Amino acid sequence: LLLNCGLHDIKRNPRTREYQIPLEQYTFNLHKIIQAGRQLATNIGWITTTPINDEIHNTISQDFHRYNQDCLEYNREAGLIMKKQGIRIFDLYDFTLNLPGKKYCDHVHFTPEVRKAQADFLARQITQWIGSQQPITPEH
């Protein structure tokens, strides 16, 4: 089972700067998602939320704003939870950040070339994960 969430959680009201889902609620939700996921699958993988370009995003999007710093903070908290739970992390954030050239075709969606590179990255990582057949055990 592959999971990813965070991009919509980090939305901020441009006037009040309030999050759509505050970090404390986000982490609570992750624990609930993991609990439900464990009833569906023996192995769970986590895909990090991809980078935000503040300037591009917040110039185009008027209804809500997103900030890369929030993305980093939510990814960090999710990573701590996933490691503690023994869940494999696929770091799509760093992979995408390090791709050369133009990344976005609008305020948040990636160009076809970037999407292909992301798909290839995830396919390789997931194939390796499945092939290893070594379960990741939770930290105690």
Side-chain angles (χ1 to χ4, degrees), residues 5 43 66 73 110:
C5 55
N43 287 314
R66 289 186 179 113
E73 184 176 7
F110 296 102

Side-chain angles (χ1 to χ4, degrees), residues 7 9 30 50 67 69 81 83 110 113 119 123 128 130:
L7 188 61
D9 302 276
L30 288 179
T50 52
Y67 300 93
Q69 188 58 42
I81 291 168
K83 286 177 185 173
F110 296 102
E113 297 79 18
Q128 180 184 16
I130 292 169

Side-chain angles (χ1 to χ4, degrees), residues 31-112:
H31 285 289
K32 291 299 217 181
I33 291 167
I34 292 166
Q35 184 180 20
R38 293 215 187 276
Q39 295 179 18
L40 299 171
T42 55
N43 287 314
I44 299 174
W46 174 256
I47 302 171
T48 58
T49 300
T50 52
I52 305 294
N53 181 309
D54 297 4
E55 185 178 347
I56 293 172
H57 185 283
N58 297 328
T59 299
I60 295 173
S61 176
Q62 300 301 309
D63 295 335
F64 58 86
H65 289 167
R66 289 186 179 113
Y67 300 93
N68 196 60
Q69 188 58 42
D70 295 334
C71 184
L72 289 169
E73 184 176 7
Y74 279 53
N75 273 343
R76 182 177 47 78
E77 289 298 317
L80 293 171
I81 291 168
M82 299 308 155
K83 286 177 185 173
K84 187 170 185 175
Q85 293 289 324
I87 294 173
R88 176 73 176 261
I89 299 171
F90 301 98
D91 194 356
L92 193 58
Y93 178 94
D94 278 348
F95 175 80
T96 304
L97 187 66
N98 291 309
L99 288 172
K102 180 182 174 188
K103 292 181 180 61
Y104 301 93
C105 60
D106 61 15
H107 68 293
V108 72
H109 300 102
F110 296 102
T111 65

Side-chain angles (χ1 to χ4, degrees), residues 6-14 16-26 29 63-66 70 74:
L7 188 61
H8 290 275
D9 302 276
I10 65 171
K11 288 179 181 178
R12 285 185 182 244
N13 180 309
T16 66
R17 304 229 344 122
E18 289 181 17
Y19 291 102
Q20 179 159 311
I21 305 294
L23 186 59
E24 184 178 306
Q25 182 66 48
Y26 176 74
N29 292 348
D63 295 335
F64 58 86
H65 289 167
R66 289 186 179 113
D70 295 334
Y74 279 53

